């Protein structure tokens, strides 16, 4: 193991993790009003109606796939009866569909942000940096799936015996940088780009992930009742009703 491997796969991961955690704490304490997606639906909704669900549901499926592939050891899936062939089939098929939805949704979002004037004017430099890094992460992930699992370029590589073990070691303080040093270049670049994205995360609109309205799933219903008609009550006028004005009288008495 060389010094370069230690810096790339031990030092940098913890630096990025520190930026991720401390950056969110700083952002929440000193920029609560900026903790938002800065929604641009008011400016344009036709493209957003299609792009946003495709991107968000696609990226959610990609995230869950990474949780299973990186966070769950191979021995656990084999213990419940999932063979390597079944896991490989599910990872490729579901991952490919989720990746395509994510890419198409992101392309539409970037196109909308570039072509709609008010939306482009509301785009910050951090938004542009975030979109660039996120696009690189998604592209490299798709490339690893297509090149490694479908086209079988460069020979077979089981990331669950290499990248996954290294990733889980980050949280156990038991890293194995030699596993990442032996991984194909595509997986190395994907890991570096992902760490850069996590370091930028607290300073972009991605913070809204931790403000998702999950409480709406189990909050009690809010019952709205119409105003009852009471005897002698004055009827409320609707906002679009025409107002009859009385003619003004001229002259003095």
């Amino acid at each position: 193991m060389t010094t370069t491997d230690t810096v790339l796969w031990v030092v940098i991961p913890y630096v990025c993790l520190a930026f991720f955690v401390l950056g969110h704490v700083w952002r929440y304490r000193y920029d609560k009003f900026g903790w938002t997606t800065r929604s641009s639906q008011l400016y344009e909704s036709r493209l957003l109606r299609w792009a946003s669900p495709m991107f968000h549901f696609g990226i959610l499926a990609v995230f869950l796939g990474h949780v299973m592939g990186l966070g769950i050891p191979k021995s656990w899936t084999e213990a419940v009866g999932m063979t390597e062939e079944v896991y490989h089939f599910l990872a490729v098929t579901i991952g490919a569909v989720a990746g395509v939805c994510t890419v198409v949704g992101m392309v539409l979002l970037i196109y909308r942000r570039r072509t709609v004037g008010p939306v482009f004017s509301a785009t910050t430099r951090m938004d542009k940096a975030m979109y660039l890094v996120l696009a690189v992460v998604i592209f490299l992930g798709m490339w690893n799936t297509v090149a490694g699992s479908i086209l079988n370029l460069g020979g077979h590589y089981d990331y669950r015996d290499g990248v996954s073990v290294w990733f889980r070691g980050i949280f156990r303080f038991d890293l194995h940088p030699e596993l990442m040093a032996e991984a194909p270049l595509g997986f190395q670049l994907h890991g570096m780009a992902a760490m850069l994205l996590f370091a930028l995360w607290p300073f972009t609109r991605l913070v809204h992930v931790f403000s998702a309205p999950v409480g709406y799933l189990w909050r009690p219903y809010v019952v709205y009742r119409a105003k009852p008609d009471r005897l002698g009550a004055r009827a409320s006028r609707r906002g679009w009703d025409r107002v009859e004005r009385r003619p003004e009288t001229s002259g003095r008495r």
Side-chain angles (χ1 to χ4, degrees), residues 34 50 65 68 193 198 214 232 251:
W50 292 97
M68 183 174 182
F198 280 112
V214 181

Side-chain angles (χ1 to χ4, degrees), residues 143-154:
W143 169 254
N144 291 332
T145 301
V146 174
S149 301
I150 299 178
L151 301 180
N152 197 25
L153 299 178

Side-chain angles (χ1 to χ4, degrees), residues 69-73 160 163-172:
L70 298 178
I72 300 179
R160 302 182 76 191
V163 179
S164 299
V165 177
W166 166 82
F167 177 79
R168 292 194 297 270
I170 296 177
F171 305 97
R172 300 197 307 264

Side-chain angles (χ1 to χ4, degrees), residues 14-247:
Y14 283 118
V15 171
C16 294
L17 185 62
F19 270 97
F20 182 81
V21 175
L22 299 179
H24 279 91
V25 174
W26 175 87
R27 182 83 181 270
Y28 185 78
R29 291 191 60 182
Y30 298 103
D31 189 28
K32 288 184 179 180
F33 290 103
W35 191 290
T36 174
T37 60
R38 296 193 302 276
S39 175
S40 57
Q41 184 178 3
L42 181 64
Y43 303 133
E44 196 279 336
S45 59
R46 183 176 59 88
L47 283 174
L48 188 65
R49 188 181 302 115
W50 292 97
S52 182
M54 292 182 65
F55 175 77
H56 284 91
F57 284 111
I59 202 71
L60 178 60
V62 170
F63 170 75
L64 295 177
H66 278 69
V67 170
M68 183 174 182
L70 298 178
I72 300 179
K74 182 190 294 188
S75 58
W76 291 17
T77 56
E78 292 177 348
V80 297
M82 181 180 291
T83 63
E84 186 65 19
E85 291 75 15
V86 173
Y87 174 86
H88 178 76
F89 174 78
L90 293 176
V92 172
T93 54
I94 300 177
V97 173
V100 169
C101 291
T102 303
V103 170
V104 173
M106 186 177 64
V107 169
L108 291 176
L109 288 174
I110 295 176
Y111 172 80
R112 170 181 176 270
R113 188 161 293 276
R114 185 63 184 85
T115 57
V116 179
V119 180
F120 181 74
S121 300
T123 304
T124 64
R125 293 181 179 178
M126 288 303 298
D127 291 334
K128 297 176 183 178
M130 181 269 295
Y131 275 115
L132 176 61
V133 177
L134 183 60
V136 171
V137 172
I138 295 175
F139 170 77
L140 291 172
M142 291 287 291
W143 169 254
N144 291 332
T145 301
V146 174
S149 301
I150 299 178
L151 301 180
N152 197 25
L153 299 178
H156 175 70
Y157 174 73
D158 191 353
Y159 66 89
R160 302 182 76 191
D161 292 329
V163 179
S164 299
V165 177
W166 166 82
F167 177 79
R168 292 194 297 270
I170 296 177
F171 305 97
R172 300 197 307 264
F173 299 99
D174 183 26
L175 277 76
H176 297 275
E178 69 278 2
L179 296 177
M180 285 300 297
E182 298 170 356
L185 180 61
F187 286 91
Q188 293 179 351
L189 295 177
H190 183 60
M192 292 298 298
M195 288 188 290
L196 177 59
L197 179 64
F198 280 112
L200 292 175
W201 192 301
F203 313 103
T204 66
R205 65 177 63 209
L206 292 177
V207 294
H208 78 278
V209 172
F210 301 104
S211 301
V214 181
Y216 279 81
L217 298 176
W218 55 75
R219 74 169 189 174
Y221 290 105
V222 178
V223 181
Y224 293 91
R225 295 183 176 89
K227 184 178 180 180
D229 295 331
R230 293 176 297 175
L231 184 62
R234 186 176 182 180
S236 58
R237 183 177 62 83
R238 293 172 296 184
W240 57 83
D241 287 344
R242 184 178 178 181
V243 178
E244 298 292 341
R245 295 184 177 180
R246 296 180 179 180

